[in-house]
Amino acid sequence: MNIVAHEPQTLLGGLSAAEFLAKYWQKKPLLIRGAFVDFVSPLSPDELAGLACEDGIEARLVEEHGQDEQGRDKPWQVSHGPFDEATFARLPERDWTLLVQAVDHYVPEVNALLEHFHFLPRWRLDDIMVSYAPPGGSVGPHVDQYDVFLLQASGTRHWQLGGKVSDDVPIIPGIDLRILEHFEVQPDQEWLLEPGDMLYLPPGMAHHGVSRSTDCMTFSVGFRALSADESITSFADYLGEQLPASHRYTDPNLAPPTHPGEIDDAAIARMRALILNTLDDPAQMLEWFGRAMTQPKYTDQLVPSESPTDIAQLVAELQGGSVLERTLGSRFAYRDHGNSRATLFVDGDGLACDTGLAFLLAGNRPIDADTLDHPGSAEILAQLLDHGSLGWPYADENEDEDA
Ligand SMILES: [Mn+2]
């Protein structure tokens, strides 16, 4: 692969991580020319089309001036994968886009790009979506709710920004895309991106990117952030499973009601205290948050082992020189509790473990025999193998032999 390791200073166009975070992150767009010097896409358009034909991989095709299933002309047409060769054979020479979600989960060389984004918490990263488009191809002017780095991987794309828009901005009705009804380019906010160039966009920024070449591929490094709606519902569900039935509304200080039908201020205050005091539990919030932020994007990616791992055999394999791999798409995070104890969060679960072990597993260091120096490591590794979050690299060895 043709990707040189970059310090954030290069990736961020001369800015330090601290400067980028203070001035741009979640605030305003940043165009970075040559973020990746001499960038060569680790994936070809044909390989992307191949992924879009596989079961279980989320792929969409967006056609401008397309037709729906009844053969009626539509300004925009969205269809969902898996696709087949016939789909690609019927497509015109321009004005369409193929989008494949979470390509980092399937292609190790695309996954490796995520290492360049270590100036942001790993658990904020969502996935790398890859789009291919012939000339004229776009998904229309639109707004996303998430931060994104748009890396031009091959060919050229013309980007235009339309500024921040509100939640209730009008969108074109009746299609499976949120395309803006009105889009106006802001002054000096349009650029032609070439391979290795990257555009950072904060959430809520109207943008429109149109392919200007026959080989336009864009990698969208997307981030995740829970909405208040998702957070409250999910935390309440997590907490609710652990609350005893006896923990409920009480009113031992009840005063005689002025009217038996009235809900008075004191009743509301009691309910408010019950809810807020129950929710305001930092220890439980941490346990929930770590699980929520390491929830895999696609749970079917994780293949649990058929039989429980034999711990003696696991230790022998590592001591024999084997190295465990993190499953592509598996998510790791940790919280240090002090005194060498931590909670390791992996793929929506939380495990109490040694801090050194959590630090190693949630980073990118190899999981080799040295890992066994940490107390309790063999048991934790066995659990992660059983869940499918770790694996032995046998599949890759076979691929190398084929090549
Ligand atoms: Mn977008």
Side-chain angles (χ1 to χ4, degrees):
M1 197 182 43
N2 221 328
I3 296 162
V4 186
H6 282 71
E7 289 306 306
Q9 279 83 355
T10 317
L11 189 80
L12 295 171
L15 297 175
S16 69
E19 286 169 329
F20 170 76
L21 296 176
K23 284 188 194 156
Y24 296 96
W25 176 248
Q26 297 239 296
K27 298 170 198 76
K28 57 182 182 183
L30 176 66
L31 171 71
I32 309 147
R33 293 285 184 197
F36 289 83
V37 178
D38 297 329
F39 186 80
V40 175
S41 175
L43 191 76
S44 70
D46 277 349
E47 288 167 327
L48 186 71
L51 287 175
C53 295
E54 282 184 33
D55 269 336
I57 295 186
E58 193 182 334
R60 285 169 295 162
L61 191 59
V62 178
E63 293 168 78
E64 206 170 349
H65 334 291
Q67 290 189 328
D68 66 12
E69 276 137 26
Q70 283 79 46
R72 290 174 300 208
D73 286 334
K74 301 261 280 192
W76 293 92
Q77 186 63 37
V78 184
S79 39
H80 295 264
F83 301 111
D84 53 28
E85 278 185 34
T87 313
F88 294 107
R90 72 159 175 82
L91 286 169
E93 282 181 15
R94 52 176 300 132
D95 302 341
W96 56 269
T97 294
L98 173 67
L99 301 162
V100 181
Q101 213 66 48
V103 175
D104 57 303
H105 290 30
Y106 313 109
V107 182
E109 292 80 4
V110 173
N111 190 277
L113 288 171
L114 295 174
E115 292 309 325
H116 297 277
F117 294 86
H118 56 71
F119 56 92
L120 293 159
R122 184 69 185 249
W123 46 263
R124 280 282 266 129
L125 275 161
D126 191 28
D127 73 337
I128 299 184
M129 181 187 79
V130 178
S131 69
Y132 165 78
S138 88
V139 296
H142 68 281
V143 171
D144 298 310
Q145 296 301 319
Y146 306 98
D147 303 86
V148 66
F149 288 88
L150 300 158
L151 168 63
Q152 193 62 27
S154 66
T156 51
R157 187 182 288 273
H158 184 239
W159 282 105
Q160 297 180 312
L161 303 188
K164 287 254 186 192
V165 296
S166 59
D167 278 357
D168 55 357
V169 65
I171 60 163
I172 299 175
I175 45 172
D176 196 3
L177 279 177
R178 290 180 53 83
I179 297 178
L180 298 171
E181 274 194 359
H182 310 290
F183 178 77
E184 201 174 317
V185 192
Q186 298 294 295
D188 303 318
Q189 297 286 290
E190 53 186 316
W191 311 278
L192 188 71
L193 267 72
E194 297 186 344
D197 292 347
M198 192 161 74
L199 178 61
Y200 163 73
L201 297 181
M205 180 71 55
H207 55 288
H208 187 28
V210 183
S211 166
R212 287 285 171 81
S213 68
T214 54
D215 57 348
C216 173
M217 285 180 68
T218 304
F219 291 7
S220 301
V221 181
F223 289 77
R224 62 167 67 171
L226 292 171
S227 68
D229 168 10
E230 292 166 323
S231 305
I232 291 168
T233 311
S234 168
F235 182 47
D237 276 349
Y238 178 78
L239 214 52
E241 283 170 17
Q242 302 164 66
L243 291 171
S246 59
H247 189 70
R248 63 180 57 228
Y249 182 88
T250 58
D251 49 8
N253 55 353
L254 189 62
T258 47
H259 184 292
E262 188 195 7
I263 295 173
D264 63 9
D265 289 351
I268 299 294
R270 287 182 206 109
M271 195 67 235
R272 182 166 185 267
L274 173 68
I275 290 176
L276 296 185
N277 294 341
T278 307
L279 288 178
D280 189 15
D281 182 334
Q284 291 284 28
M285 188 165 293
L286 161 69
E287 292 294 325
W288 161 77
F289 188 60
R291 285 166 172 80
M293 294 313 290
T294 58
Q295 200 60 243
K297 193 171 177 76
Y298 303 107
T299 39
D300 55 0
Q301 279 270 148
L302 294 177
V303 184
S305 62
E306 282 165 17
S307 54
T309 299
D310 181 300
I311 290 185
Q313 204 180 334
L314 164 79
V315 170
E317 292 239 28
L318 287 172
Q319 285 171 343
S322 296
V323 177
L324 279 166
E325 289 189 342
R326 296 164 187 85
T327 302
L328 293 183
S330 272
R331 300 176 64 88
F332 293 76
Y334 75 93
R335 170 78 181 180
D336 186 0
H337 300 300
N339 296 321
S340 297
R341 298 305 296 166
T343 305
L344 174 69
F345 299 103
V346 187
D347 296 328
D349 205 355
L351 306 167
C353 79
D354 171 76
T355 299
L357 180 65
F359 192 81
L360 186 152
L361 292 175
N364 60 0
R365 298 234 313 274
I367 307 166
D368 55 17
D370 288 351
T371 312
L372 297 171
D373 296 345
H374 299 287
S377 55
E379 290 73 15
I380 297 283
L381 295 179
Q383 275 192 61
L384 297 178
L385 264 167
D386 290 346
H387 291 167
S389 303
L390 295 178
W392 299 106
Y394 299 135
D396 284 2
E397 281 167 23
N398 291 336
E399 267 174 31
D400 288 345
E401 280 162 24
D402 292 344

